[in-house]
Amino acid sequence: MGKKSAQAVPPVEEPKPASATDKKGKATPKRPTQSKARPPVNPPLTSKEKREAAKKSGPLTKEQKRQAREDVRAERGRIAEGQWKGDPLFDKYHLPRDRGPERLLIRDIVDSRWSVSQYYMFGAFAILIFSTAGTVALQGYLFIGLLALTGVIVIESVLLTRRVKRIVGARFPKTTQRRAGMNWYAIQRNIMPRSMRNPRARMSYKATEDDLGKVVK
Protein backbone atom coordinates (compact mmCIF):
# COMPACT_ATOMS: atom_id res chain seq x y z
CA MET A 1 0.00 0.00 0.00
CA GLY A 2 2.85 2.30 0.78
CA LYS A 3 4.32 1.80 -2.71
CA LYS A 4 0.96 2.40 -4.46
CA SER A 5 0.27 5.59 -2.51
CA ALA A 6 3.74 6.85 -3.32
CA GLN A 7 3.25 6.18 -7.01
CA ALA A 8 -0.17 7.85 -7.06
CA VAL A 9 1.21 11.23 -6.04
CA PRO A 10 1.57 13.38 -9.20
CA PRO A 11 4.88 15.18 -9.67
CA VAL A 12 4.90 18.83 -8.71
CA GLU A 13 5.46 21.09 -11.74
CA GLU A 14 7.64 24.14 -11.33
CA PRO A 15 5.85 27.44 -12.14
CA LYS A 16 6.78 28.83 -15.53
CA PRO A 17 7.86 32.47 -15.71
CA ALA A 18 5.29 34.76 -17.26
CA SER A 19 6.22 35.59 -20.82
CA ALA A 20 6.17 39.06 -22.31
CA THR A 21 3.10 38.17 -24.39
CA ASP A 22 0.87 36.81 -21.58
CA LYS A 23 -2.48 38.59 -21.25
CA LYS A 24 -1.44 41.24 -23.81
CA GLY A 25 -0.95 39.40 -27.05
CA LYS A 26 2.17 41.40 -27.93
CA ALA A 27 5.64 41.92 -26.59
CA THR A 28 6.33 44.69 -24.11
CA PRO A 29 8.09 47.54 -25.90
CA LYS A 30 11.65 48.10 -24.87
CA ARG A 31 12.67 51.16 -22.98
CA PRO A 32 14.47 53.71 -25.18
CA THR A 33 18.22 53.41 -25.02
CA GLN A 34 18.78 57.13 -24.61
CA SER A 35 17.26 58.94 -21.68
CA LYS A 36 16.29 62.57 -21.81
CA ALA A 37 18.92 65.11 -20.88
CA ARG A 38 18.67 66.11 -17.26
CA PRO A 39 18.16 69.76 -16.42
CA PRO A 40 21.11 71.61 -14.91
CA VAL A 41 21.55 71.43 -11.17
CA ASN A 42 21.39 75.21 -10.78
CA PRO A 43 19.35 76.54 -13.72
CA PRO A 44 19.48 80.31 -14.33
CA LEU A 45 16.66 82.33 -12.84
CA THR A 46 13.94 83.71 -15.06
CA SER A 47 12.95 87.38 -14.98
CA LYS A 48 9.92 86.57 -12.83
CA GLU A 49 12.02 84.58 -10.36
CA LYS A 50 14.56 87.40 -10.17
CA ARG A 51 11.80 89.91 -9.35
CA GLU A 52 10.39 87.64 -6.67
CA ALA A 53 13.83 87.11 -5.16
CA ALA A 54 14.40 90.87 -5.12
CA LYS A 55 11.09 91.40 -3.31
CA LYS A 56 11.95 88.80 -0.68
CA SER A 57 15.39 90.29 -0.07
CA GLY A 58 13.83 93.64 0.73
CA PRO A 59 14.55 97.11 -0.64
CA LEU A 60 18.08 97.82 -1.80
CA THR A 61 20.15 100.62 -0.46
CA LYS A 62 21.53 103.37 -2.69
CA GLU A 63 24.95 101.77 -2.64
CA GLN A 64 23.53 98.37 -3.65
CA LYS A 65 21.53 99.92 -6.49
CA ARG A 66 24.59 101.78 -7.74
CA GLN A 67 26.66 98.59 -7.58
CA ALA A 68 23.93 96.65 -9.43
CA ARG A 69 23.88 99.25 -12.24
CA GLU A 70 27.66 99.11 -12.52
CA ASP A 71 27.59 95.31 -12.70
CA VAL A 72 24.99 95.39 -15.47
CA ARG A 73 26.99 98.02 -17.37
CA ALA A 74 30.20 96.02 -17.02
CA GLU A 75 28.50 92.81 -18.18
CA ARG A 76 27.04 94.55 -21.23
CA GLY A 77 30.45 95.95 -22.09
CA ARG A 78 32.03 92.53 -21.76
CA ILE A 79 29.41 90.99 -24.06
CA ALA A 80 29.75 93.80 -26.63
CA GLU A 81 33.54 93.44 -26.63
CA GLY A 82 33.28 89.67 -27.09
CA GLN A 83 30.85 90.09 -29.97
CA TRP A 84 33.08 92.66 -31.65
CA LYS A 85 36.13 90.40 -31.38
CA GLY A 86 34.23 87.52 -32.94
CA ASP A 87 34.65 85.29 -29.88
CA PRO A 88 32.41 82.22 -30.38
CA LEU A 89 31.59 82.20 -26.66
CA PHE A 90 29.65 85.44 -27.09
CA ASP A 91 27.91 84.46 -30.32
CA LYS A 92 24.84 83.33 -28.35
CA TYR A 93 24.13 86.97 -27.44
CA HIS A 94 23.70 87.93 -31.11
CA LEU A 95 20.34 87.95 -32.81
CA PRO A 96 19.51 84.64 -34.57
CA ARG A 97 20.17 86.24 -37.98
CA ASP A 98 23.74 87.20 -36.92
CA ARG A 99 24.82 83.91 -35.35
CA GLY A 100 27.33 81.52 -36.83
CA PRO A 101 30.83 81.77 -38.30
CA GLU A 102 29.39 82.19 -41.81
CA ARG A 103 27.53 85.35 -40.82
CA LEU A 104 30.63 86.72 -39.07
CA LEU A 105 32.63 86.18 -42.26
CA ILE A 106 29.94 87.87 -44.38
CA ARG A 107 29.92 90.91 -42.10
CA ASP A 108 33.69 91.19 -42.38
CA ILE A 109 33.49 90.91 -46.17
CA VAL A 110 30.99 93.77 -46.32
CA ASP A 111 32.79 95.97 -43.78
CA SER A 112 36.22 95.56 -45.39
CA ARG A 113 35.20 97.28 -48.65
CA TRP A 114 34.12 100.84 -49.36
CA SER A 115 30.89 101.15 -51.32
CA VAL A 116 28.49 103.77 -52.62
CA SER A 117 25.59 101.69 -51.33
CA GLN A 118 26.27 102.68 -47.72
CA TYR A 119 25.23 106.26 -48.61
CA TYR A 120 21.97 105.18 -50.26
CA MET A 121 19.78 106.20 -47.31
CA PHE A 122 21.28 109.71 -47.18
CA GLY A 123 21.05 110.11 -50.94
CA ALA A 124 17.45 108.94 -51.13
CA PHE A 125 16.45 111.21 -48.23
CA ALA A 126 18.12 114.24 -49.83
CA ILE A 127 16.46 113.55 -53.18
CA LEU A 128 13.08 113.26 -51.45
CA ILE A 129 13.51 116.61 -49.67
CA PHE A 130 14.68 118.55 -52.74
CA SER A 131 12.10 116.99 -55.05
CA THR A 132 9.18 118.32 -52.99
CA ALA A 133 10.42 121.92 -52.98
CA GLY A 134 12.20 122.16 -56.34
CA THR A 135 11.06 123.01 -59.83
CA VAL A 136 9.89 120.51 -62.40
CA ALA A 137 13.28 120.56 -64.12
CA LEU A 138 15.06 119.93 -60.81
CA GLN A 139 12.72 117.06 -60.04
CA GLY A 140 13.61 115.49 -63.39
CA TYR A 141 17.33 115.72 -62.65
CA LEU A 142 16.81 114.28 -59.17
CA PHE A 143 14.83 111.38 -60.62
CA ILE A 144 17.68 110.64 -63.02
CA GLY A 145 20.13 110.80 -60.11
CA LEU A 146 18.01 108.35 -58.12
CA LEU A 147 17.97 105.92 -61.05
CA ALA A 148 21.74 106.22 -61.40
CA LEU A 149 22.24 105.59 -57.68
CA THR A 150 19.98 102.55 -57.85
CA GLY A 151 21.92 101.20 -60.82
CA VAL A 152 25.21 101.57 -58.95
CA ILE A 153 23.75 99.71 -55.97
CA VAL A 154 22.59 96.86 -58.19
CA ILE A 155 26.05 96.51 -59.74
CA GLU A 156 27.74 96.61 -56.34
CA SER A 157 25.31 94.01 -54.98
CA VAL A 158 26.09 91.61 -57.83
CA LEU A 159 29.85 91.98 -57.28
CA LEU A 160 29.39 91.60 -53.51
CA THR A 161 27.35 88.40 -53.78
CA ARG A 162 29.98 86.90 -56.08
CA ARG A 163 32.68 87.66 -53.54
CA VAL A 164 30.59 86.21 -50.71
CA LYS A 165 29.99 83.06 -52.71
CA ARG A 166 33.71 82.63 -53.43
CA ILE A 167 35.06 83.30 -49.92
CA VAL A 168 32.31 81.59 -47.90
CA GLY A 169 32.34 78.61 -50.27
CA ALA A 170 36.09 78.22 -49.80
CA ARG A 171 35.97 78.55 -46.00
CA PHE A 172 32.77 76.58 -45.39
CA PRO A 173 32.24 74.12 -48.26
CA LYS A 174 29.75 72.08 -46.19
CA THR A 175 27.70 74.95 -44.83
CA THR A 176 24.00 74.29 -44.25
CA GLN A 177 22.93 77.91 -44.77
CA ARG A 178 21.02 78.82 -47.90
CA ARG A 179 22.90 80.79 -50.52
CA ALA A 180 20.02 83.21 -51.08
CA GLY A 181 19.81 83.97 -47.36
CA MET A 182 23.53 84.75 -47.11
CA ASN A 183 23.40 86.98 -50.21
CA TRP A 184 20.43 88.95 -48.89
CA TYR A 185 22.15 89.31 -45.51
CA ALA A 186 25.21 90.81 -47.24
CA ILE A 187 23.14 93.18 -49.41
CA GLN A 188 21.11 94.46 -46.44
CA ARG A 189 24.27 95.21 -44.48
CA ASN A 190 25.93 96.84 -47.48
CA ILE A 191 23.18 99.44 -47.97
CA MET A 192 23.21 100.28 -44.27
CA PRO A 193 25.43 103.25 -43.25
CA ARG A 194 28.63 101.97 -41.69
CA SER A 195 28.06 103.81 -38.41
CA MET A 196 24.58 102.27 -38.04
CA ARG A 197 25.50 98.65 -38.73
CA ASN A 198 24.72 96.19 -35.97
CA PRO A 199 26.79 94.26 -34.95
CA ARG A 200 29.25 97.10 -35.40
CA ALA A 201 31.93 96.91 -38.05
CA ARG A 202 35.29 95.55 -36.89
CA MET A 203 37.22 95.47 -40.19
CA SER A 204 38.98 98.45 -41.76
CA TYR A 205 39.16 99.11 -45.47
CA LYS A 206 42.79 97.95 -45.39
CA ALA A 207 41.91 94.47 -44.08
CA THR A 208 43.16 91.56 -46.15
CA GLU A 209 41.20 88.47 -47.09
CA ASP A 210 43.10 86.42 -44.50
CA ASP A 211 41.87 88.74 -41.71
CA LEU A 212 38.21 88.12 -42.47
CA GLY A 213 36.21 85.93 -40.10
CA LYS A 214 38.93 85.58 -37.46
CA VAL A 215 38.87 86.42 -33.76
CA VAL A 216 40.44 89.82 -33.13
CA LYS A 217 43.14 89.66 -30.46
Side-chain angles (χ1 to χ4, degrees):
M1 293 293 292
K3 293 181 179 180
K4 291 182 179 181
S5 61
Q7 294 176 356
V9 178
V12 179
E13 295 182 358
E14 295 182 0
K16 296 181 180 179
S19 63
T21 58
D22 287 348
K23 299 182 181 181
K24 293 190 295 185
K26 60 180 181 178
T28 303
K30 294 182 179 180
R31 193 174 291 180
T33 56
Q34 280 188 341
S35 58
K36 293 183 179 179
R38 295 183 179 180
V41 179
N42 296 318
L45 299 178
T46 61
S47 300
K48 183 178 180 180
E49 292 173 344
K50 289 181 181 179
R51 289 194 298 268
E52 292 177 353
K55 290 180 181 179
K56 291 180 181 179
S57 62
L60 300 177
T61 62
K62 291 184 178 180
E63 184 65 23
Q64 289 175 335
K65 290 180 180 179
R66 184 182 65 81
Q67 185 63 37
R69 288 194 297 268
E70 291 180 356
D71 293 342
V72 171
R73 191 179 300 110
E75 180 66 14
R76 288 178 178 175
R78 187 177 71 92
I79 293 172
E81 185 69 16
Q83 289 178 331
W84 182 82
K85 289 183 176 180
D87 193 336
L89 295 177
F90 296 88
D91 192 46
K92 62 182 179 180
Y93 296 103
H94 279 125
L95 294 175
R97 67 175 185 181
D98 301 318
R99 293 174 187 168
E102 296 94 340
R103 297 302 173 103
L104 174 64
L105 179 58
I106 293 174
R107 291 197 297 271
D108 287 350
I109 293 173
V110 175
D111 299 334
S112 64
R113 58 193 297 273
W114 182 89
S115 65
V116 179
S117 302
Q118 59 184 324
Y119 303 106
Y120 173 74
M121 293 180 61
F122 302 113
F125 184 74
I127 291 174
L128 178 64
I129 295 298
F130 286 109
S131 63
T132 56
T135 61
V136 177
L138 179 61
Q139 291 178 359
Y141 290 128
L142 292 175
F143 180 72
I144 295 174
L146 181 61
L147 291 180
L149 180 60
T150 304
V152 172
I153 293 174
V154 170
I155 295 174
E156 286 187 343
S157 299
V158 172
L159 297 177
L160 176 62
T161 54
R162 288 182 178 179
R163 192 181 184 204
V164 168
K165 180 181 179 180
R166 177 177 59 83
I167 299 178
V168 176
R171 297 275 187 92
F172 305 98
K174 297 182 180 179
T175 181
T176 57
Q177 297 198 19
R178 295 185 300 109
R179 186 70 60 187
M182 292 191 293
N183 290 340
W184 181 241
Y185 181 72
I187 293 172
Q188 281 185 318
R189 187 172 180 86
N190 192 43
I191 63 177
M192 184 68 62
R194 186 180 177 87
S195 59
M196 299 174 61
R197 292 173 183 173
N198 189 29
R200 62 191 178 100
R202 65 187 198 128
M203 292 285 116
S204 67
Y205 294 141
K206 298 181 180 180
T208 62
E209 191 169 313
D210 294 335
D211 298 330
L212 307 179
K214 292 184 178 180
V215 177
V216 177
K217 301 295 183 182

